[in-house]
């Protein structure tokens, strides 16, 4: 997007059917905010998205710990999360009440939705002007304190937390070691493959991220596509059929049939809201594990997405070693956020 090769959505949106445009209209303000650093407006358009990140839990552990799944899952806020996870660990059969993740990509699987729930857009990685990081603002300092204390103060996460990644969640929960965590929705197919019986009988269930105090249930990851501009050396006559084919391909990905298949096959939600009911009906075991219900509940209360800034990814990954030092007790949350922001501004921005 930063190299000038992408054609702005406004220049080809009229090629789509009105039905398709109506189906994605609800998310256009979110995409516009994610594209705020580009003068041309929306560049990439999503065919699917993830609300990041829902809870998943062993409901049988709740029952054995004397908790009421109807009242105690999912947690209503951070304080309730600590209370429920502590009870699960102390009175339930699992070893760990709530796992957080510490590796380069996965440290944010819990910390990022917590930051957005805590501070709304102040919990995003980039500020509103998209020219600086938020990682050292008051929201993030408090958030890293809350996040790290799940492990350092409350001891609810495993001893390998610093190097843990969310792909291990399926095995940990299937084996009964872990009672509750948060993972990316894209893990749903793995849960269905590796813990199918538990998903189908409701032993494992999904629940939406809490929205207190900001009113936001986490953030969106947008799975996007775009159409490229015509190369200078290519004639318009040669380029025109290629562009028509590209538009048709994009329209195919936005078609109702393809959109309905996203949840079951990929763990992504369909971006077209006119297929949401149909898509939920096609999710195997939905009445037991509540995957679709949880994600759509989140989708209706999220206005923040990972941005399309070319530095978005390093803004998310570069803080990892600093946050790992917090988990290891070598840095305070304040210092870790300060160091991460300084590194970003000096070497990445």
């Amino acid at each position: 997007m930063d190299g000038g090769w992408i054609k702005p959505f406004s220049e080809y949106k009229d090629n789509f059917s009105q039905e398709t445009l109506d189906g994605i209209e609800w998310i256009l303000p979110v995409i516009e905010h994610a594209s705020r650093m580009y003068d041309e407006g929306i560049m990439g358009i999503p065919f699917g998205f993830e609300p990041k990140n829902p809870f998943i839990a062993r409901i049988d552990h709740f029952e054995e710990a004397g908790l009421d799944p109807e009242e105690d899952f999912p947690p209503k806020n951070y304080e309730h999360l600590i209370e429920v996870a502590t009870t699960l660990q102390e009175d339930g059969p699992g070893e760990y009440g709530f796992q957080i993740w510490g590796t380069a990509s996965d440290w944010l699987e819990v910390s990022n939705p917590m930051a957005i729930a805590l501070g709304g857009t102040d919990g995003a990685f980039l500020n509103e002007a998209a020219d600086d990081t938020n990682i050292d603002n008051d929201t993030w300092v408090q958030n890293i304190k809350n996040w790290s204390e799940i492990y350092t103060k409350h001891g609810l996460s495993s001893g390998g937390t610093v190097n843990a990644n969310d792909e291990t969640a399926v095995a940990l929960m299937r084996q009964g070691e872990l009672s509750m965590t948060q993972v990316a929705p894209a893990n749903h197919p793995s849960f269905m493959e590796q813990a199918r019986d538990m998903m189908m009988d409701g032993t494992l269930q999904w629940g939406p991220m809490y929205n207190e105090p900001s009113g936001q249930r986490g953030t969106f990851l947008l799975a996007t596509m775009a159409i490229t501009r015509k190369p200078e050396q290519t004639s318009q006559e040669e380029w025109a059929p290629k562009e028509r084919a590209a538009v048709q391909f994009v329209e195919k990905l936005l078609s109702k049939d393809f959109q309905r298949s996203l949840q079951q096959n990929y763990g992504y939600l369909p971006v077209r809201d006119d297929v949401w009911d149909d898509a939920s009906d096609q999710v195997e075991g939905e009445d037991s594990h509540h995957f679709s219900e949880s994600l759509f509940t989140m989708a209706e209360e999220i206005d923040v997405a990972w941005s399309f800034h070319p530095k978005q990814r390093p803004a998310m990954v570069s803080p990892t070693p600093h946050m790992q030092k917090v988990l290891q007790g070598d840095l305070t949350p304040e210092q870790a956020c300060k160091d991460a922001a300084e590194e970003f501004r000096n070497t990445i921005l």
Side-chain angles (χ1 to χ4, degrees), residues 138-283:
D138 291 343
T139 291
W140 268 102
V141 171
Q142 181 61 50
N143 180 59
I144 294 304
K145 181 177 186 295
N146 293 346
W147 171 75
S148 62
E149 285 184 351
I150 292 171
Y151 174 65
T152 61
K153 178 180 178 179
H154 302 289
L156 298 171
S157 195
S158 70
T161 290
V162 175
N163 294 308
N165 64 77
D166 78 338
E167 286 80 10
T168 63
V170 184
L172 291 172
M173 301 193 84
R174 187 185 64 228
Q175 295 161 9
E177 295 180 39
L178 175 60
S179 297
M180 182 171 57
T181 187
Q182 284 171 270
V183 298
N187 286 284
H188 177 71
S190 295
F191 274 94
M192 289 298 293
E193 180 179 305
Q194 300 174 36
R196 180 180 176 80
D197 290 347
M198 291 180 175
M199 296 291 284
M200 295 299 290
D201 67 12
T203 300
L204 279 167
Q205 292 185 25
W206 296 93
M209 173 62 183
Y210 57 77
N211 63 353
E212 295 183 12
S214 74
Q216 297 280 326
R217 292 188 185 273
T219 184
F220 285 146
L221 179 155
L222 303 174
T224 61
M225 53 198 165
I227 291 176
T228 53
R229 294 183 184 275
K230 181 182 75 66
E232 290 184 6
Q233 69 273 20
T234 303
S235 70
Q236 183 59 38
E237 182 180 13
E238 180 183 354
W239 186 250
K242 298 178 184 294
E243 183 167 283
R244 284 197 299 272
V247 171
Q248 289 171 4
F249 179 69
V250 172
E251 180 111 35
K252 175 65 176 177
L253 296 183
L254 291 173
S255 68
K256 287 186 175 182
D257 285 345
F258 184 82
Q259 290 281 294
R260 291 186 186 104
S261 73
L262 279 174
Q263 282 181 275
Q264 182 68 26
N265 294 331
Y266 307 106
Y268 283 91
L269 288 186
V271 71
R272 287 184 59 151
D273 63 358
D274 56 352
V275 304
W276 282 5
D277 290 340
D278 291 344
S280 296
D281 291 341
Q282 294 193 23
V283 175

